[in-house]
Amino acid sequence: MQQDVDYGPLALLIGAWTGDKGQDVSPEPDGIENNAYRESMVFEAINDVSNAEEQNLAVLQYRQKVFRIRDGKRIHDQTGYWSWDALTGDIIHSFVIPRGLTVLASGKAISTATDVRLEVKASAGEPNWGIMQAPFLQEKALTKAFEQSLDVSKEQLSYKQTSSLTIYGRDFEHTDQSELVRA
């Protein structure tokens, strides 16, 4: 980590996290599927980023890998960035999922002396904080909205997220929640 970069509310994320308490509620053609999962997340401080010599962001890169507990199958892989604008207090979460989905979400952080809560949202069709998806997903598994909250302390990270989908001819709230500890 570069010492002269102020990562603000993102500083607690830096490092490796693991957990086996994840719960995924996902759509199936005839109902829902519940999966317990284990995962790892690694957050790396990559420096500050300047946009047009006016905006300065403190940026973390991360990778998340998720495995279903019952059979060990990888069910999710995600890479992205968390950015913080100290001037505005905005948090930006940008990520890609290899099935053809990209999310650019924004929100705010709520910090105390010992922990931080990060909350971000994005909606399909929004010009600023939106969701882009491949044509197949637009037709068969449209993600309409995404929201996520992370609670981070020195040794624990927990999150809840909801992706609002239209899939299998119906609307569905795909949810994930998990608790991880610093590795």
Side-chain angles (χ1 to χ4, degrees), residues 45-108:
I46 64 164
N47 211 337
D48 58 346
V49 174
S50 176
N51 285 330
E53 297 183 9
E54 292 180 30
Q55 181 187 45
N56 290 304
L57 302 173
V59 182
L60 304 181
Q61 180 180 31
Y62 77 96
R63 175 90 185 266
Q64 177 187 28
K65 298 177 187 177
V66 178
F67 300 86
R68 190 168 34 223
I69 289 178
R70 72 176 144 83
D71 61 8
K73 180 181 178 185
R74 186 182 304 200
I75 59 172
H76 188 78
D77 192 299
Q78 180 173 310
T79 189
Y81 298 92
W82 282 90
S83 305
W84 177 58
D85 185 337
L87 187 63
T88 65
D90 291 333
I91 298 291
I92 301 169
H93 183 197
S94 56
F95 64 90
V96 295
I97 300 171
R99 66 176 63 107
L101 181 71
T102 301
V103 175
L104 180 62
S106 180
K108 297 288 184 182

Side-chain angles (χ1 to χ4, degrees), residues 132-150:
M132 293 296 296
Q133 39 210 320
F136 179 88
L137 293 178
Q138 291 178 40
E139 183 181 330
K140 303 285 186 178
L142 180 69
T143 300
K144 299 182 294 183
F146 172 81
E147 60 183 70
Q148 181 181 46
S149 64
L150 277 78

Side-chain angles (χ1 to χ4, degrees), residues 91-173:
I91 298 291
I92 301 169
H93 183 197
S94 56
F95 64 90
V96 295
I97 300 171
R99 66 176 63 107
L101 181 71
T102 301
V103 175
L104 180 62
S106 180
K108 297 288 184 182
I110 302 164
S111 298
T112 69
T114 59
D115 58 8
V116 66
R117 179 180 195 109
L118 307 172
E119 296 179 340
V120 295
K121 293 181 180 182
S123 295
E126 288 296 317
N128 295 322
W129 308 111
I131 300 167
M132 293 296 296
Q133 39 210 320
F136 179 88
L137 293 178
Q138 291 178 40
E139 183 181 330
K140 303 285 186 178
L142 180 69
T143 300
K144 299 182 294 183
F146 172 81
E147 60 183 70
Q148 181 181 46
S149 64
L150 277 78
D151 292 301
V152 188
S153 66
K154 186 175 180 182
E155 298 300 323
Q156 185 174 1
L157 181 158
S158 62
Y159 68 86
K160 293 180 182 180
Q161 64 188 42
T162 301
S163 298
S164 300
L165 309 172
T166 299
I167 187 170
Y168 305 126
R170 68 183 195 277
D171 291 336
F172 190 87
E173 299 293 306

Side-chain angles (χ1 to χ4, degrees), residues 11-26:
L12 284 173
L13 285 172
I14 298 169
W17 301 84
T18 61
D20 62 1
K21 294 180 171 62
Q23 291 296 318
D24 170 68
V25 179
S26 57

Side-chain angles (χ1 to χ4, degrees), residues 16-20 38-41 157 178-183:
W17 301 84
T18 61
D20 62 1
R38 65 180 170 81
E39 68 186 304
S40 65
M41 288 186 180
L157 181 158
S178 189
E179 294 179 16
L180 299 92
V181 295
R182 193 172 294 280

